[in-house]
Amino acid sequence: MASDQIHPALKAMKPIAQGIAATFGKNCEVVLHDLSEPSSSLIFKAGSVTNREIGAPVTNLVLEALQRYGDATEDLIGYLNRTKDGKVLKSSTIFIRDNSGKIIGCLCINFDLTEFQLAKNILEDFCQLKDLAEAGFERTQEQFARDINEVVDNVVENVLQELGKPVPVMTKEEKVKAVEMLDDRGIFLVKGAVDVVAQALAVSKYTIYNYLEEARALKGNRRAVL
């Protein structure tokens, strides 16, 4: 189609199409269709994603949209598309009207997402996380301390918070429970932890040894019953 036969509204879209393609780079193709000649409607292209040339026909999607809705056809924005050679596209079709509202053409943007989809899949796989609860650590939040004393202090504080009762009003049984919970969390594997726990529960370290023995005996009995 000769340049002087192209509707001014379509001509005005050429620099816009060029600008969009230049902005989004090699993965972007922007084409203009003159719908007065559906069999050879492609009159301008910037970028190349679908491997079409000037004079290519209108797409079946545009034909179907016009058949269904005529000049009331709405723009189609950001829809999934695929090429015959397997490219995954994000496409938009924007209809261009004359002063009377008649659709005379369309500006179509095709962005090749194939590389992005691959990166997305890699990132999704890398970012998959497992909950500690799945491994049996429902009440544990890993903490990154500067020294072992901070680790011990944090675990003791967390256990006392879970029990939800001030130490001065705790019964012996509750303190035994606290020691059992601390034992379950491995706190007594740390040298000097008994002294820290004794101070926190306001008892002697020998009492802590007794509580620990009692807690382990109770646990053994519960396992035996199970």
Side-chain angles (χ1 to χ4, degrees), residues 128-144 158 185:
Q128 285 185 5
L129 302 174
K130 292 185 177 179
D131 196 317
L132 279 171
E134 296 177 13
F137 297 96
E138 294 84 356
R139 298 182 178 181
T140 303
Q141 174 64 52
E142 188 171 21
Q143 299 171 348
F144 302 98
N158 289 340
R185 298 180 193 192

PDB file of all heavy atoms in Angstrom, residues 128-144 158 185:
ATOM      1  N   GLN A 128      12.083 -22.012  46.609  1.00  0.00           N
ATOM      2  CA  GLN A 128      11.195 -22.887  47.376  1.00  0.00           C
ATOM      3  C   GLN A 128      11.774 -23.088  48.773  1.00  0.00           C
ATOM      4  O   GLN A 128      12.950 -23.402  48.949  1.00  0.00           O
ATOM      5  CB  GLN A 128      11.055 -24.247  46.681  1.00  0.00           C
ATOM      6  CG  GLN A 128      10.155 -24.198  45.462  1.00  0.00           C
ATOM      7  CD  GLN A 128       9.929 -25.576  44.867  1.00  0.00           C
ATOM      8  OE1 GLN A 128      10.378 -26.586  45.423  1.00  0.00           O
ATOM      9  NE2 GLN A 128       9.251 -25.634  43.748  1.00  0.00           N
ATOM     10  N   LEU A 129      10.922 -22.898  49.782  1.00  0.00           N
ATOM     11  CA  LEU A 129      11.348 -22.978  51.177  1.00  0.00           C
ATOM     12  C   LEU A 129      10.561 -24.053  51.907  1.00  0.00           C
ATOM     13  O   LEU A 129       9.382 -24.275  51.651  1.00  0.00           O
ATOM     14  CB  LEU A 129      11.131 -21.624  51.872  1.00  0.00           C
ATOM     15  CG  LEU A 129      11.853 -20.430  51.256  1.00  0.00           C
ATOM     16  CD1 LEU A 129      11.427 -19.149  51.948  1.00  0.00           C
ATOM     17  CD2 LEU A 129      13.362 -20.611  51.352  1.00  0.00           C
ATOM     18  N   LYS A 130      11.213 -24.716  52.835  1.00  0.00           N
ATOM     19  CA  LYS A 130      10.556 -25.706  53.675  1.00  0.00           C
ATOM     20  C   LYS A 130      10.357 -25.133  55.069  1.00  0.00           C
ATOM     21  O   LYS A 130      11.225 -24.451  55.600  1.00  0.00           O
ATOM     22  CB  LYS A 130      11.386 -26.991  53.757  1.00  0.00           C
ATOM     23  CG  LYS A 130      11.455 -27.759  52.447  1.00  0.00           C
ATOM     24  CD  LYS A 130      12.194 -29.072  52.629  1.00  0.00           C
ATOM     25  CE  LYS A 130      12.204 -29.871  51.323  1.00  0.00           C
ATOM     26  NZ  LYS A 130      12.938 -31.154  51.480  1.00  0.00           N
ATOM     27  N   ASP A 131       9.214 -25.413  55.634  1.00  0.00           N
ATOM     28  CA  ASP A 131       8.919 -24.975  56.995  1.00  0.00           C
ATOM     29  C   ASP A 131       9.610 -25.920  57.972  1.00  0.00           C
ATOM     30  O   ASP A 131       9.585 -27.137  57.794  1.00  0.00           O
ATOM     31  CB  ASP A 131       7.406 -24.994  57.227  1.00  0.00           C
ATOM     32  CG  ASP A 131       6.993 -24.196  58.447  1.00  0.00           C
ATOM     33  OD1 ASP A 131       7.688 -24.326  59.481  1.00  0.00           O
ATOM     34  OD2 ASP A 131       6.005 -23.461  58.381  1.00  0.00           O
ATOM     35  N   LEU A 132      10.219 -25.338  59.010  1.00  0.00           N
ATOM     36  CA  LEU A 132      10.864 -26.178  60.028  1.00  0.00           C
ATOM     37  C   LEU A 132       9.887 -27.152  60.668  1.00  0.00           C
ATOM     38  O   LEU A 132      10.277 -28.217  61.151  1.00  0.00           O
ATOM     39  CB  LEU A 132      11.502 -25.294  61.109  1.00  0.00           C
ATOM     40  CG  LEU A 132      12.868 -24.692  60.781  1.00  0.00           C
ATOM     41  CD1 LEU A 132      13.268 -23.682  61.838  1.00  0.00           C
ATOM     42  CD2 LEU A 132      13.926 -25.780  60.667  1.00  0.00           C
ATOM     43  N   ALA A 133       8.604 -26.785  60.678  1.00  0.00           N
ATOM     44  CA  ALA A 133       7.595 -27.666  61.277  1.00  0.00           C
ATOM     45  C   ALA A 133       7.531 -29.011  60.561  1.00  0.00           C
ATOM     46  O   ALA A 133       7.237 -30.042  61.180  1.00  0.00           O
ATOM     47  CB  ALA A 133       6.226 -26.994  61.247  1.00  0.00           C
ATOM     48  N   GLU A 134       7.851 -29.019  59.272  1.00  0.00           N
ATOM     49  CA  GLU A 134       7.832 -30.263  58.514  1.00  0.00           C
ATOM     50  C   GLU A 134       8.891 -31.239  59.019  1.00  0.00           C
ATOM     51  O   GLU A 134       8.769 -32.446  58.837  1.00  0.00           O
ATOM     52  CB  GLU A 134       8.054 -29.981  57.031  1.00  0.00           C
ATOM     53  CG  GLU A 134       6.952 -29.144  56.391  1.00  0.00           C
ATOM     54  CD  GLU A 134       7.260 -28.835  54.939  1.00  0.00           C
ATOM     55  OE1 GLU A 134       8.186 -29.464  54.379  1.00  0.00           O
ATOM     56  OE2 GLU A 134       6.585 -27.961  54.368  1.00  0.00           O
ATOM     57  N   ALA A 135       9.937 -30.699  59.633  1.00  0.00           N
ATOM     58  CA  ALA A 135      11.009 -31.550  60.173  1.00  0.00           C
ATOM     59  C   ALA A 135      10.854 -31.763  61.675  1.00  0.00           C
ATOM     60  O   ALA A 135      11.749 -32.287  62.329  1.00  0.00           O
ATOM     61  CB  ALA A 135      12.365 -30.920  59.878  1.00  0.00           C
ATOM     62  N   GLY A 136       9.699 -31.360  62.242  1.00  0.00           N
ATOM     63  CA  GLY A 136       9.438 -31.605  63.653  1.00  0.00           C
ATOM     64  C   GLY A 136       9.889 -30.494  64.586  1.00  0.00           C
ATOM     65  O   GLY A 136       9.933 -30.690  65.805  1.00  0.00           O
ATOM     66  N   PHE A 137      10.199 -29.317  64.045  1.00  0.00           N
ATOM     67  CA  PHE A 137      10.649 -28.205  64.891  1.00  0.00           C
ATOM     68  C   PHE A 137       9.585 -27.101  64.908  1.00  0.00           C
ATOM     69  O   PHE A 137       9.833 -25.960  64.546  1.00  0.00           O
ATOM     70  CB  PHE A 137      11.979 -27.649  64.379  1.00  0.00           C
ATOM     71  CG  PHE A 137      13.105 -28.642  64.430  1.00  0.00           C
ATOM     72  CD1 PHE A 137      13.437 -29.382  63.305  1.00  0.00           C
ATOM     73  CD2 PHE A 137      13.812 -28.852  65.604  1.00  0.00           C
ATOM     74  CE1 PHE A 137      14.477 -30.312  63.349  1.00  0.00           C
ATOM     75  CE2 PHE A 137      14.849 -29.773  65.650  1.00  0.00           C
ATOM     76  CZ  PHE A 137      15.180 -30.514  64.524  1.00  0.00           C
ATOM     77  N   GLU A 138       8.361 -27.480  65.355  1.00  0.00           N
ATOM     78  CA  GLU A 138       7.228 -26.560  65.300  1.00  0.00           C
ATOM     79  C   GLU A 138       7.465 -25.284  66.098  1.00  0.00           C
ATOM     80  O   GLU A 138       6.995 -24.207  65.731  1.00  0.00           O
ATOM     81  CB  GLU A 138       5.961 -27.243  65.828  1.00  0.00           C
ATOM     82  CG  GLU A 138       5.463 -28.409  64.972  1.00  0.00           C
ATOM     83  CD  GLU A 138       6.174 -29.717  65.297  1.00  0.00           C
ATOM     84  OE1 GLU A 138       7.105 -29.690  66.144  1.00  0.00           O
ATOM     85  OE2 GLU A 138       5.807 -30.752  64.703  1.00  0.00           O
ATOM     86  N   ARG A 139       8.166 -25.397  67.218  1.00  0.00           N
ATOM     87  CA  ARG A 139       8.310 -24.249  68.113  1.00  0.00           C
ATOM     88  C   ARG A 139       9.665 -23.568  68.002  1.00  0.00           C
ATOM     89  O   ARG A 139      10.023 -22.725  68.817  1.00  0.00           O
ATOM     90  CB  ARG A 139       8.101 -24.700  69.565  1.00  0.00           C
ATOM     91  CG  ARG A 139       6.710 -25.269  69.849  1.00  0.00           C
ATOM     92  CD  ARG A 139       6.570 -25.631  71.309  1.00  0.00           C
ATOM     93  NE  ARG A 139       5.236 -26.139  71.619  1.00  0.00           N
ATOM     94  CZ  ARG A 139       4.843 -26.517  72.825  1.00  0.00           C
ATOM     95  NH1 ARG A 139       5.687 -26.434  73.846  1.00  0.00           N
ATOM     96  NH2 ARG A 139       3.624 -26.966  73.027  1.00  0.00           N
ATOM     97  N   THR A 140      10.425 -23.949  67.014  1.00  0.00           N
ATOM     98  CA  THR A 140      11.794 -23.448  66.922  1.00  0.00           C
ATOM     99  C   THR A 140      11.943 -22.409  65.828  1.00  0.00           C
ATOM    100  O   THR A 140      11.545 -22.627  64.685  1.00  0.00           O
ATOM    101  CB  THR A 140      12.777 -24.613  66.651  1.00  0.00           C
ATOM    102  OG1 THR A 140      12.637 -25.579  67.685  1.00  0.00           O
ATOM    103  CG2 THR A 140      14.205 -24.094  66.618  1.00  0.00           C
ATOM    104  N   GLN A 141      12.499 -21.278  66.199  1.00  0.00           N
ATOM    105  CA  GLN A 141      12.904 -20.249  65.245  1.00  0.00           C
ATOM    106  C   GLN A 141      14.412 -20.101  65.368  1.00  0.00           C
ATOM    107  O   GLN A 141      14.929 -19.715  66.408  1.00  0.00           O
ATOM    108  CB  GLN A 141      12.217 -18.919  65.562  1.00  0.00           C
ATOM    109  CG  GLN A 141      12.697 -17.752  64.716  1.00  0.00           C
ATOM    110  CD  GLN A 141      12.376 -17.930  63.242  1.00  0.00           C
ATOM    111  OE1 GLN A 141      11.247 -18.197  62.862  1.00  0.00           O
ATOM    112  NE2 GLN A 141      13.389 -17.794  62.395  1.00  0.00           N
ATOM    113  N   GLU A 142      15.132 -20.472  64.297  1.00  0.00           N
ATOM    114  CA  GLU A 142      16.591 -20.427  64.375  1.00  0.00           C
ATOM    115  C   GLU A 142      17.061 -18.995  64.606  1.00  0.00           C
ATOM    116  O   GLU A 142      16.599 -18.058  63.947  1.00  0.00           O
ATOM    117  CB  GLU A 142      17.207 -20.980  63.094  1.00  0.00           C
ATOM    118  CG  GLU A 142      18.717 -21.139  63.184  1.00  0.00           C
ATOM    119  CD  GLU A 142      19.287 -21.893  61.997  1.00  0.00           C
ATOM    120  OE1 GLU A 142      18.629 -21.940  60.941  1.00  0.00           O
ATOM    121  OE2 GLU A 142      20.390 -22.432  62.140  1.00  0.00           O
ATOM    122  N   GLN A 143      17.979 -18.849  65.545  1.00  0.00           N
ATOM    123  CA  GLN A 143      18.512 -17.539  65.887  1.00  0.00           C
ATOM    124  C   GLN A 143      20.021 -17.529  65.655  1.00  0.00           C
ATOM    125  O   GLN A 143      20.706 -18.512  65.940  1.00  0.00           O
ATOM    126  CB  GLN A 143      18.198 -17.203  67.352  1.00  0.00           C
ATOM    127  CG  GLN A 143      16.694 -17.141  67.633  1.00  0.00           C
ATOM    128  CD  GLN A 143      16.379 -17.015  69.109  1.00  0.00           C
ATOM    129  OE1 GLN A 143      17.248 -17.187  69.950  1.00  0.00           O
ATOM    130  NE2 GLN A 143      15.125 -16.709  69.421  1.00  0.00           N
ATOM    131  N   PHE A 144      20.502 -16.418  65.175  1.00  0.00           N
ATOM    132  CA  PHE A 144      21.918 -16.297  64.848  1.00  0.00           C
ATOM    133  C   PHE A 144      22.591 -15.398  65.878  1.00  0.00           C
ATOM    134  O   PHE A 144      22.499 -14.173  65.804  1.00  0.00           O
ATOM    135  CB  PHE A 144      22.081 -15.751  63.428  1.00  0.00           C
ATOM    136  CG  PHE A 144      21.400 -16.621  62.402  1.00  0.00           C
ATOM    137  CD1 PHE A 144      20.131 -16.301  61.927  1.00  0.00           C
ATOM    138  CD2 PHE A 144      22.001 -17.782  61.943  1.00  0.00           C
ATOM    139  CE1 PHE A 144      19.502 -17.096  61.001  1.00  0.00           C
ATOM    140  CE2 PHE A 144      21.380 -18.593  61.018  1.00  0.00           C
ATOM    141  CZ  PHE A 144      20.114 -18.253  60.547  1.00  0.00           C
ATOM    142  N   ASN A 158      12.870 -17.994  75.570  1.00  0.00           N
ATOM    143  CA  ASN A 158      11.760 -18.480  74.753  1.00  0.00           C
ATOM    144  C   ASN A 158      10.923 -19.513  75.487  1.00  0.00           C
ATOM    145  O   ASN A 158       9.690 -19.495  75.414  1.00  0.00           O
ATOM    146  CB  ASN A 158      12.287 -19.082  73.447  1.00  0.00           C
ATOM    147  CG  ASN A 158      12.831 -18.025  72.505  1.00  0.00           C
ATOM    148  OD1 ASN A 158      12.519 -16.850  72.625  1.00  0.00           O
ATOM    149  ND2 ASN A 158      13.672 -18.448  71.576  1.00  0.00           N
ATOM    150  N   ARG A 185      15.464 -29.127  73.681  1.00  0.00           N
ATOM    151  CA  ARG A 185      16.060 -28.189  72.728  1.00  0.00           C
ATOM    152  C   ARG A 185      17.588 -28.206  72.777  1.00  0.00           C
ATOM    153  O   ARG A 185      18.243 -27.376  72.162  1.00  0.00           O
ATOM    154  CB  ARG A 185      15.511 -26.782  72.968  1.00  0.00           C
ATOM    155  CG  ARG A 185      14.010 -26.773  72.734  1.00  0.00           C
ATOM    156  CD  ARG A 185      13.344 -25.463  72.944  1.00  0.00           C
ATOM    157  NE  ARG A 185      11.897 -25.679  72.981  1.00  0.00           N
ATOM    158  CZ  ARG A 185      10.981 -24.728  72.932  1.00  0.00           C
ATOM    159  NH1 ARG A 185      11.360 -23.464  72.816  1.00  0.00           N
ATOM    160  NH2 ARG A 185       9.703 -24.999  72.993  1.00  0.00           N
TER     161      ARG A 185
END
